[in-house]
Amino acid sequence: MDGMQYLKIIENGSVVIGRDGRIEAVGAADSIKAVYSEASFDKVIDASGMCVLPGLVDAHTHPVWAGDRVHEFAMKLAGASYMDVHRAGGGIHFTVGHTRAAEVSDLVSSLSSRLKRMLRTGTTLVECKSGYGLELHTEMKMLEVIEEARRTLPINISSTYCGAHAVPKGKTVAEATEDILQVQLPKLKEYMESGAMKVNNIDVFCEKGVYDLTSTKSILQAGKEMGLNINFHGDELHPMNSAQLGAELGALAISHLEEVTDEGIAAMAKASTAAVLLPTTAYILRLPQPRARDMLKAGIIVALGSDFNPNAYCCSMPIVMHLACVNLRMSMSEALAAATINAAYALGCSRTHGSLEVHKDGDLLILNTTRWEHLIYQLGGHQELIRYVIIKGNIIYDNDRTMCL
């Protein structure tokens, strides 16, 4: 037992993380001390009077883009809907134009900055989508940018191909679907098989005026056959029966669900398909709030995501949890589970992330408070509350030293 990397103490409890970055032991301080009485540690963190939590998991983000859409916020405040902005040339298509023109180095730099902000707010595992390319070259460029971040940053990343984020200008849904099936997915499969990139999930924006049920099904099924987890946008602006489709396909998760039906909720519960709820989007777009209480009552695994993107510019999971409690009427315990173990489940990562258990990755937060609820209760207070962010046993962020590697 010599050479354990860290010992963390929270009042009368301890966590031991080994040199491999995995949790070796969790338990009462006295029992841990007895077992490891002869062990030496590279570092001991005395967390007396503090609180230890699993690292937060953000189950839905769009963090790779170029261009600034702050002007659209004024449009929304004046009453424009999401689709009004979309039809006026804003929204996804505005970002697509700028992202297509951006240099890889600029996209890497901006993504790195955004992910570091997420780290400072406690996120240790984040899902990152492509989707602002809508054609082969830029979609692959975005996935390469995500892969570069995975190689160079300590934050854990689950990568998602989202080429069906919108229908490209000048194409029909049928033409766009054919391009994805015959051009983009085959090239992605080639990259994955060569080891050039690792992609985990496939996403489609199943929505009225975007991808219908038929096109969504064909794209998701093709991705599933490539070994990708189905994790897609559904029932956001209109009841599309996306939830039923996802359940039929064995989807790992479906996001948004502001307009999900009772039948959709029942189908997801039966299929163990997670619901990734995005309270920031409903808040910013003034949409009906996702029916979190109905989903929880039905037994659905409810997860949370920030939906970080140019439309919903929030990279803080503590704020997302706060909104989930106030607007979605979730309890603080439910919100914490939704932002840790349930979000990890939605990404297929619950065996390694999302809770403090032996053999899982040593990803955790240490809070400067004796009660973890303050992380949710204090709206915006996480900037002072989070003392350490630790990933695989390494201190990535130390608030006292303002260090973020």
Side-chain angles (χ1 to χ4, degrees):
M1 289 182 233
D2 283 346
M4 291 293 114
Q5 194 168 19
Y6 287 105
L7 170 66
K8 283 97 178 178
I9 301 174
I10 169 174
E11 296 178 330
N12 61 349
S14 297
V15 180
V16 175
I17 301 176
R19 285 190 180 277
D20 62 356
R22 295 179 183 253
I23 296 174
E24 296 283 344
V26 182
D30 289 343
S31 63
I32 295 294
K33 287 178 182 177
V35 173
Y36 292 92
S37 60
E38 302 300 320
S40 61
F41 292 88
D42 296 331
K43 188 169 184 65
V44 174
I45 296 177
D46 184 354
S48 299
M50 299 183 187
C51 186
V52 177
L53 293 178
L56 303 180
V57 180
D58 191 339
H60 184 121
T61 80
H62 303 257
V64 185
W65 81 82
D68 190 339
R69 280 163 53 187
V70 66
H71 62 284
E72 292 180 9
F73 189 51
M75 295 173 65
K76 296 178 193 118
L77 294 177
S81 70
Y82 178 88
M83 293 309 290
D84 289 336
V85 173
H86 188 76
R87 285 188 289 268
I92 291 171
H93 287 301
F94 179 90
T95 302
V96 166
H98 286 79
T99 306
R100 286 179 176 178
E103 297 292 334
V104 169
S105 59
D106 292 332
L107 292 174
V108 169
S109 176
S110 60
L111 175 61
S112 177
S113 176
R114 292 160 188 162
L115 292 179
K116 287 178 180 178
R117 287 181 67 180
M118 292 180 185
L119 271 170
R120 291 193 293 270
T121 66
T123 296
T124 57
L125 169 61
V126 58
E127 184 261 7
C128 298
K129 303 180 191 292
S130 69
Y132 293 122
L134 310 185
E135 46 79 30
L136 177 64
H137 174 73
T138 310
E139 287 297 315
M140 296 305 112
K141 177 172 72 172
M142 293 181 71
L143 291 171
E144 289 168 358
V145 167
I146 294 169
E147 191 66 27
E148 177 65 15
R150 179 185 268 144
R151 286 193 297 265
T152 58
L153 297 177
I155 193 168
N156 299 287
I157 293 175
S158 179
S159 176
T160 300
Y161 165 74
C162 189
H165 195 197
V167 178
K169 290 182 178 180
K171 285 184 180 290
T172 65
V173 173
E175 290 169 338
T177 301
E178 186 73 6
D179 180 65
I180 289 169
L181 294 175
Q182 300 301 322
V183 178
Q184 295 189 40
L185 284 178
K187 179 57 71 172
L188 175 59
K189 183 178 181 181
E190 181 183 316
Y191 282 148
M192 290 171 61
E193 289 179 346
S194 71
M197 64 176 63
K198 179 181 179 182
V199 179
N200 307 97
N201 318 290
I202 186 164
D203 191 352
V204 175
F205 188 10
C206 183
E207 183 54 66
K208 185 177 179 180
V210 193
Y211 287 88
D212 58 23
L213 282 175
T214 301
S215 57
T216 297
K217 182 176 181 178
S218 62
I219 294 169
L220 293 177
Q221 185 63 47
K224 183 177 182 179
E225 290 171 2
M226 289 171 50
L228 300 175
N229 295 318
I230 295 177
N231 190 330
F232 72 110
H233 293 60
D235 294 330
E236 177 184 358
L237 305 175
H238 299 89
M240 296 285 294
N241 293 328
S242 301
Q244 292 92 316
L245 174 64
E248 175 192 333
L249 295 175
L252 183 59
I254 305 173
S255 292
H256 283 291
L257 299 165
E258 288 86 352
E259 295 289 345
V260 71
T261 63
D262 291 343
E263 293 78 12
I265 289 175
M268 288 180 66
K270 186 176 180 180
S272 297
T273 296
V276 180
L277 305 185
L278 310 170
T280 51
T281 306
Y283 167 76
I284 290 168
L285 295 180
R286 296 168 173 165
L287 300 175
Q289 297 294 325
R291 297 164 55 190
R293 292 255 53 92
D294 291 339
M295 295 179 196
L296 289 163
K297 184 177 180 181
I300 289 178
I301 298 165
V302 173
L304 290 171
S306 68
D307 199 13
F308 179 72
N309 71 71
N311 168 63
Y313 207 112
C314 175
C315 59
S316 166
M317 286 304 292
I319 289 178
V320 170
M321 289 189 287
H322 180 96
L323 290 174
C325 291
V326 175
N327 292 340
L328 275 57
R329 302 186 181 278
M330 296 174 69
S331 70
M332 285 189 283
S333 295
E334 289 168 341
L336 180 63
T340 52
I341 189 62
N342 290 1
Y345 174 89
L347 300 178
C349 297
S350 57
R351 291 184 179 180
T352 52
H353 297 81
S355 58
L356 301 180
E357 298 181 62
V358 173
H359 302 313
K360 286 194 173 186
D361 285 8
D363 298 354
L364 50 91
L365 312 181
I366 300 181
L367 308 180
N368 248 328
T369 175
T370 56
R371 295 193 56 167
W372 64 265
E373 293 93 338
H374 278 278
L375 189 64
I376 299 174
Y377 161 65
Q378 294 188 26
L379 179 59
H382 54 276
Q383 289 131 331
E384 287 74 37
L385 285 173
I386 296 174
R387 171 60 197 275
Y388 296 108
V389 178
I390 295 167
I391 296 180
K392 293 184 176 68
N394 295 303
I395 298 175
I396 304 303
Y397 176 60
D398 181 344
N399 204 358
D400 274 10
R401 299 175 59 192
T402 61
M403 175 187 76
C404 189
L405 300 178

